[in-house]
């Protein structure tokens, strides 16, 4: 069972926030952020929300694929920072694009786009033909803007893809999950139940992250994931045109390139202008590559991601669009 991406789209808010702007209210500097993370700017929501961005990205992906709402069999969404806990992002997208198909969300935090692709593959095996995948994140509502170690690294964006069943295309995947709520987490609001006696968790609704532990996990998970997925597909690293990784830190991408003996240019990096946009980062990068005509039909590329869970995944496939 296999699939191919037939349409890709993305959306970022128009407000761009530079490192210098952050250093006006945080004890940080352009020099520290550029050197330690590789980010110069990030896009941050002002009036728009996750749904607006996700709908724009979804419409762009459908236009790129040349399909309408009635051609979509299923919408699968993902967000950790949506406008609403319910209805799901996929339901809000379904409503706004005028589709009537089934829609639901899944979450694997920053790794979500790859879990969406794998879930789509499973649905193709039971007869579906065309699925819309959509990720949207407003991480600017999930970070504590007084916490310099988190606030400087995230950005807001949405990314979407139309995927179709195509058993002739290359598709191989590996996934890993090791349950852990110590390294990266966001606690839910405590609520006001008069019966709740447990202690209130700290910093509800703010992202809490152990940066260095996440960093080590990321480099290990991405480099072993890429090796494992290529071995499963009987391919060598020399067969790969591009690695499209989750964008979390330029140093993570550089270490991964070094471990695999890749040229830095083969490991796609958009982090300097967008920061870490969580589940949206891979479809956003793919859309930028598509717009810049970097991908040619038949190019082998590996998508690789990691995130809270802890979860990680790597998928090797061929670009199958003209
Ligand atoms: O998609 C979600 C996954 N998240 C990630 O992949 C994040 C992975 N981790 C990272 O990218 C890095 O660990 C961070 C960017 C979060 C932190 O960078 P680091 O090089 O690991 O810094 P550190 O935590 O070891 O801190 C070094 C110093 C500390 O100061 P002292 O204790 O040495 O005086 C921090 O307080 O840097 C300080 N620091 C900052 N300084 C200026 C931390 N954040 C900042 C900042 N500006 N924004």
């Amino acid at each position: 069972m296999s699939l191919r991406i037939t349409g890709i789209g993305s959306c970022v808010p128009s407000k761009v926030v530079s490192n210098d702007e952050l250093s006006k209210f945080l004890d940080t500097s352009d020099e520290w952020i550029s050197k330690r993370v590789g980010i110069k700017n990030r896009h941050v929501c002002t009036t728009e929300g996750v749904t607006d961005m996700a709908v724009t990205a979804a419409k762009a992906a459908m236009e790129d694929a040349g399909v309408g709402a009635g051609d979509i069999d299923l919408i699968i969404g993902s967000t950790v920072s949506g406008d609403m806990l319910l209805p799901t992002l996929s339901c809000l997208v379904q409503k706004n694009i005028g589709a009537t198909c089934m829609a639901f969300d899944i979450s694997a935090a920053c790794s979500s786009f790859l879990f969406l692709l794998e879930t789509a593959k499973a649905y193709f095996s039971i007869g579906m033909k065309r699925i819309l995948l959509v990720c949207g994140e407003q991480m600017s509502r999930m970070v504590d803007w007084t916490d310099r170690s988190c606030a400087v690294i995230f950005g807001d964006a949405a990314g979407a893809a139309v995927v179709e069943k195509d058993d002739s295309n290359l598709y191989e995947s590996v996934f890993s999950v090791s349950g852990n709520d110590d390294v990266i987490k966001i606690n839910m609001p405590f609520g006001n139940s008069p019966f709740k006696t447990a202690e209130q968790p700290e910093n509800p609704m703010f992202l809490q992250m152990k940066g260095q532990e996440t960093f080590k996990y990321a480099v290990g998970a991405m480099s072993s994931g890429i090796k494992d997925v290529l071995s499963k597909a009987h391919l060598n690293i020399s067969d790969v045109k591009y690695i499209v990784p989750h964008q979390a830190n330029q140093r993570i991408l550089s270490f991964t390139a070094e471990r695999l003996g890749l040229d830095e240019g083969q490991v796609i990096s958009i982090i300097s202008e967008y920061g870490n946009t969580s589940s949206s980062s891979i479809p956003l990068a793919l859309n930028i590559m598509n717009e810049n005509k970097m991908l040619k039909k038949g190019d082998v590329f590996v998508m690789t991601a990691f995130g809270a869970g802890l979860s990680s995944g790597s998928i090797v496939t061929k670009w199958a669009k003209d």
Side-chain angles (χ1 to χ4, degrees), residues 27-28 32 36-37 110 148-149 152-154 184 209 211-212 214-215 246 248-249 251-252 276 306:
D27 181 14
T28 190
W32 191 94
R36 303 302 295 172
V37 204
C110 297
R148 66 178 180 174
S149 66
V152 305
I153 69 178
F154 289 96
I184 317 174
M209 179 179 71
Q212 290 199 354
T214 310
F215 194 106
H246 171 47
N249 185 318
R251 288 188 298 131
I252 293 176
N276 179 344
F306 67 92

Side-chain angles (χ1 to χ4, degrees), residues 103-163:
F104 62 86
D105 279 16
I106 61 168
S107 179
C110 297
S111 313
S112 286
F113 185 67
L114 304 193
F115 284 72
L116 293 181
L117 283 163
E118 190 74 356
T119 308
K121 192 184 86 160
Y123 275 89
F124 289 138
S125 73
I126 58 163
M128 287 191 177
K129 291 193 170 51
R130 190 176 292 111
I131 299 178
L132 174 64
L133 309 178
V134 57
C135 298
E137 303 289 4
Q138 189 179 329
M139 295 307 289
S140 59
R141 66 154 61 104
M142 308 311 297
V143 295
D144 174 357
W145 284 88
T146 64
D147 172 4
R148 66 178 180 174
S149 66
C150 270
V152 305
I153 69 178
F154 289 96
D156 300 337
V162 175
V163 290

Side-chain angles (χ1 to χ4, degrees), residues 44-111:
V44 177
C45 287
T46 51
T47 53
E48 61 279 87
V50 170
T51 310
D52 302 321
M53 294 191 292
V55 169
T56 303
K59 285 181 176 168
M62 286 161 56
E63 192 183 332
D64 191 39
V67 299
D71 302 314
I72 304 290
D73 295 330
L74 170 66
I75 303 169
I76 319 178
S78 187
T79 182
V80 296
S81 52
D83 301 326
M84 298 175 188
L85 261 180
L86 52 95
T88 59
L89 178 62
S90 54
C91 289
L92 294 167
V93 169
Q94 191 240 37
K95 173 188 163 198
N96 281 282
I97 64 170
T100 52
C101 59
M102 183 162 84
F104 62 86
D105 279 16
I106 61 168
S107 179
C110 297
S111 313

Side-chain angles (χ1 to χ4, degrees), residues 171-187:
Y171 180 99
E172 201 54 80
S173 59
V174 294
F175 289 91
S176 162
V177 172
S178 62
N180 176 313
D181 60 356
D182 183 47
V183 178
I184 317 174
K185 69 177 171 191
I186 301 174
N187 285 315

Side-chain angles (χ1 to χ4, degrees), residues 1-320:
M1 190 58 56
S2 186
L3 56 79
R4 69 192 159 113
I5 295 173
T6 57
I8 190 90
S10 67
C11 176
V12 292
S14 52
K15 169 93 179 152
V16 177
V17 177
S18 68
N19 293 341
D20 285 337
E21 202 166 340
L22 295 183
S23 64
K24 287 181 190 155
F25 61 91
L26 276 175
D27 181 14
T28 190
S29 64
D30 176 47
E31 192 196 353
W32 191 94
I33 303 169
S34 304
K35 201 167 146 202
R36 303 302 295 172
V37 204
I39 299 173
K40 284 284 186 192
N41 296 301
R42 70 284 293 144
H43 291 245
V44 177
C45 287
T46 51
T47 53
E48 61 279 87
V50 170
T51 310
D52 302 321
M53 294 191 292
V55 169
T56 303
K59 285 181 176 168
M62 286 161 56
E63 192 183 332
D64 191 39
V67 299
D71 302 314
I72 304 290
D73 295 330
L74 170 66
I75 303 169
I76 319 178
S78 187
T79 182
V80 296
S81 52
D83 301 326
M84 298 175 188
L85 261 180
L86 52 95
T88 59
L89 178 62
S90 54
C91 289
L92 294 167
V93 169
Q94 191 240 37
K95 173 188 163 198
N96 281 282
I97 64 170
T100 52
C101 59
M102 183 162 84
F104 62 86
D105 279 16
I106 61 168
S107 179
C110 297
S111 313
S112 286
F113 185 67
L114 304 193
F115 284 72
L116 293 181
L117 283 163
E118 190 74 356
T119 308
K121 192 184 86 160
Y123 275 89
F124 289 138
S125 73
I126 58 163
M128 287 191 177
K129 291 193 170 51
R130 190 176 292 111
I131 299 178
L132 174 64
L133 309 178
V134 57
C135 298
E137 303 289 4
Q138 189 179 329
M139 295 307 289
S140 59
R141 66 154 61 104
M142 308 311 297
V143 295
D144 174 357
W145 284 88
T146 64
D147 172 4
R148 66 178 180 174
S149 66
C150 270
V152 305
I153 69 178
F154 289 96
D156 300 337
V162 175
V163 290
E164 295 186 20
K165 184 175 187 300
D166 179 358
D167 288 338
S168 67
N169 196 28
L170 167 70
Y171 180 99
E172 201 54 80
S173 59
V174 294
F175 289 91
S176 162
V177 172
S178 62
N180 176 313
D181 60 356
D182 183 47
V183 178
I184 317 174
K185 69 177 171 191
I186 301 174
N187 285 315
M188 285 291 281
F190 194 61
N192 67 352
S193 164
F195 306 105
K196 186 84 177 174
T197 51
E199 202 176 314
Q200 182 160 353
E202 51 176 332
N203 300 325
M205 295 312 282
F206 284 144
L207 185 122
Q208 298 169 63
M209 179 179 71
K210 292 185 176 160
Q212 290 199 354
E213 285 177 46
T214 310
F215 194 106
K216 281 183 210 140
Y217 173 71
V219 176
M222 297 218 290
S223 35
S224 64
I226 294 166
K227 280 185 196 155
D228 291 349
V229 82
L230 290 177
S231 151
K232 210 170 158 189
H234 307 291
L235 292 170
N236 297 312
I237 195 80
S238 55
D239 297 315
V240 175
K241 180 97 181 265
Y242 295 114
I243 305 289
V244 188
H246 171 47
Q247 309 283 314
N249 185 318
Q250 182 54 47
R251 288 188 298 131
I252 293 176
L253 306 189
S254 303
F255 274 125
T256 306
E258 193 183 307
R259 277 200 185 180
L260 297 168
L262 289 162
D263 293 338
E264 284 232 8
Q266 281 178 278
V267 180
I268 299 302
S269 176
I270 58 164
I271 194 160
S272 87
E273 290 309 307
Y274 299 96
N276 179 344
T277 57
S278 188
S279 67
S280 304
S281 80
I282 291 181
L284 174 62
L286 282 175
N287 190 43
I288 290 169
M289 293 170 78
N290 189 40
E291 283 177 351
N292 289 313
K293 309 214 177 313
M294 289 171 69
L295 286 157
K296 305 275 177 292
K297 195 172 183 176
D299 281 349
V300 174
F301 66 103
V302 180
M303 294 168 277
T304 184
F306 67 92
L310 296 167
S311 65
S312 67
S314 297
I315 293 176
V316 61
T317 188
K318 273 187 188 169
W319 191 249

